[in-house]
Amino acid sequence: MTSPSIVRTNTAELYDAHVLKNYARAPLTLVRGRGAQVWDDAGNAYLDFTSGIAVSALGHCHPHWVAAVQRQAAELIHVSNLFRNPQQGELARRLVGRAGPGRVFFCNSGAEANEALIKLARLHGMQKSGEDGKCYKIICAKNAFHGRTFGGMSATPQEKIQKGFRPMVAGFSFGEINNLDSFAALVDDDTAAIFLETIQGESGINPCTTEFLIGLRRLCDRHNLLLMLDEVQCGVGRTGRFYSFEHAGVTPDAIGMAKGLGGGFPIGAMWVRERFADLFHPGNHGTTFGGTPLACAAALAVLDVIERDGLLEKVRAQSGPWHEALQQLAADFPRHVTGVRGMGYLVGVQMSSDPSPYIAALRERGLLAPSAGGNVVRLLPPLNATADELAKAVAIFRDVLAAKT
Ligand SMILES: *Cc1c(COP(=O)(O)O)cnc(C)c1O
């Protein structure tokens, strides 16, 4: 047995020596989790409102999820898409049940789900124009984040993401969210789709209004464009509805999802409306790992618990008082907090300056929360967080702000 301090030193040294330096990591090695709590290698407990960046929808090691994954791991893990497996069929049925008539493609991450959407747009453009490579343009949003692949990066107009990797994929242009005219002005004969997040996550929790989303739907209908929504961060219950666009009552033509879907197991998915589902045919898209029995069993366990425990209703009921308590923080500490935005358990606390010192102070007091663009502290509790845990996070935040005044 090695002592915890030796393990801790080794892990930090191993990272320093051997792990690619493409992340700015907190000086913390996590070794165990249960519900909304995680423990580091020195035995310190933290309330985890990072949730692996909106991934651990049921918190850590939920017993139903663990049992489902253990059972499936002992039964059948991977067979490829050269064959059917029961879990993939069932998961597709459940997601179609949530989104509406259509079909589902499975992959392994948000970026891959979005790649599939971008390829769908190209196929739609080919059908629309009758020519390959003519109608290929996609209108996205300023401050968007869609992932780190070439398609995702090209749809993400941020210098810190694109720098060093140019040239980007051709055909992306960018409107301003909640400014319908700025999108309408970008539509031309070669436009195939509009693609955006209903609530921008990475750039600081910026929600699209209902009127704007309805306006985009009409714009797409008028010009035969696909309305494609990136629900990778805001989907799977995080806002208190399974898909965040349900709040606006619009129906998209395609949806990208990942993050919370597997509850910690990597899985991504694209849902395509029935009308456009036949644009894909055997051979024009695929991935080896997509929709394995194990990944789909993990996602089915997430959906089971969301349904069985009424987590969507619970998120909606608890987020009202929780948001109020956070708004009160803004009112009490206006020098530090200038606003609180978001829906359900996707919340951004707008700080007046760089959030890093606040995030470090929260961590020292036992709360893990990620930052987001534009000086925002993000709070992403698991969907089954208790009212006590939500209140405790506010209390820790209050202590940090009081100590800085
Ligand atoms: C995280 C995220 C992605 C990228 O997902 P990965 O699984 O990291 O590839 C894409 N879109 C949005 C909105 C995200 O939040």
Side-chain angles (χ1 to χ4, degrees):
M1 277 289 287
T2 46
S3 79
S5 67
I6 289 174
V7 173
R8 182 158 77 243
T9 312
N10 275 351
T11 301
E13 281 176 1
L14 290 171
Y15 270 70
D16 281 348
H18 305 296
V19 177
L20 196 75
K21 295 181 176 174
N22 62 319
Y23 299 106
R25 283 191 182 81
L28 205 59
T29 301
L30 299 176
V31 295
R32 193 159 60 87
R34 181 61 96 188
Q37 276 205 310
V38 283
W39 285 266
D40 68 14
D41 56 359
N44 301 305
Y46 301 85
L47 185 58
D48 183 10
F49 277 25
T50 299
S51 295
I53 319 187
V55 165
S56 311
L58 308 179
H60 298 284
C61 303
H62 188 285
H64 180 82
W65 188 96
V66 170
V69 169
Q70 284 177 334
R71 203 183 316 117
Q72 191 59 50
E75 186 79 21
L76 186 66
I77 295 172
H78 172 86
V79 292
S80 87
N81 286 294
L82 300 176
F83 308 97
R84 294 187 291 264
N85 74 73
Q87 291 71 28
Q88 184 176 147
E90 176 60 11
L91 181 58
R93 185 183 76 81
R94 301 269 286 269
L95 293 176
V96 166
R98 293 274 179 193
R103 290 175 182 275
V104 183
F105 164 78
F106 291 104
C107 52
N108 312 287
S109 67
E112 278 176 85
N114 290 339
E115 288 298 315
L117 295 182
I118 292 165
K119 289 176 79 169
L120 174 75
R122 292 273 177 108
L123 291 172
H124 175 63
M126 180 165 75
Q127 188 176 70
K128 191 175 155 184
S129 65
E131 206 179 313
D132 188 7
K134 175 167 187 333
C135 176
Y136 64 99
K137 294 183 183 169
I138 300 177
I139 306 171
C140 298
K142 290 177 182 165
N143 298 313
F145 180 81
H146 297 295
R148 307 289 193 143
T149 52
F150 268 93
M153 272 196 300
S154 303
T156 300
Q158 297 183 38
E159 184 61 16
K160 67 174 186 215
I161 295 207
Q162 296 187 349
K163 190 177 179 196
F165 301 113
R166 295 190 173 97
M168 291 292 116
V169 178
F172 290 87
S173 62
F174 304 94
E176 297 218 24
I177 64 164
N178 301 329
N179 178 343
L180 189 61
D181 290 344
S182 74
F183 276 74
L186 295 169
V187 176
D188 66 19
D189 289 346
D190 300 334
T191 306
I194 290 176
F195 175 38
L196 78 170
E197 302 155 86
T198 45
I199 303 177
Q200 294 183 328
E202 293 304 311
S203 68
I205 317 299
N206 305 310
C208 293
T209 63
T210 294
E211 308 78 76
F212 174 64
L213 290 171
I214 291 171
L216 285 183
R217 179 68 272 178
R218 290 208 187 103
L219 185 65
C220 288
D221 290 343
R222 200 174 317 129
H223 296 279
N224 188 14
L225 314 176
L226 300 183
L227 179 61
M228 312 196 302
L229 297 179
D230 180 347
E231 290 263 342
V232 170
Q233 186 158 163
C234 55
V236 194
R238 191 139 284 280
T239 65
R241 299 282 175 196
F242 191 79
Y243 297 113
S244 72
F245 61 77
E246 292 173 34
H247 294 279
V250 294
T251 307
D253 299 307
I255 307 165
M257 51 199 123
K259 291 206 164 97
L261 184 58
F265 200 93
I267 183 169
M270 167 180 69
W271 169 90
V272 189
R273 200 170 170 170
E274 195 68 56
R275 264 179 74 192
F276 304 106
D278 288 342
L279 290 168
F280 287 101
H281 55 72
N284 71 351
H285 193 48
T287 168
T288 302
F289 287 109
T292 66
L294 188 58
C296 293
L300 285 168
V302 171
L303 300 188
D304 283 347
V305 175
I306 286 177
E307 284 161 25
R308 186 193 69 192
D309 294 354
L311 293 185
L312 301 179
E313 296 75 10
K314 211 168 147 196
V315 169
R316 294 201 296 276
Q318 291 191 153
S319 55
W322 185 47
H323 293 182
E324 272 172 39
L326 290 166
Q327 294 288 358
Q328 192 58 48
L329 275 188
D332 293 345
F333 299 96
R335 271 203 314 120
H336 298 283
V337 181
T338 59
V340 178
R341 295 188 295 273
M343 280 180 121
Y345 291 0
L346 179 60
V347 165
V349 179
Q350 177 71 59
M351 310 307 292
S352 55
S353 59
D354 177 12
S356 317
Y358 296 98
I359 282 171
L362 291 170
R363 186 172 67 236
E364 279 154 25
R365 288 173 193 262
L367 176 64
L368 303 185
S371 63
N375 295 337
V376 165
V377 175
R378 253 184 300 180
L379 296 173
L380 306 168
L383 305 185
N384 56 355
T386 63
D388 280 353
E389 286 162 343
L390 297 175
K392 188 174 169 200
V394 177
I396 293 173
F397 217 133
R398 179 170 287 279
D399 285 349
V400 162
L401 296 171
K404 286 198 184 282
T405 315

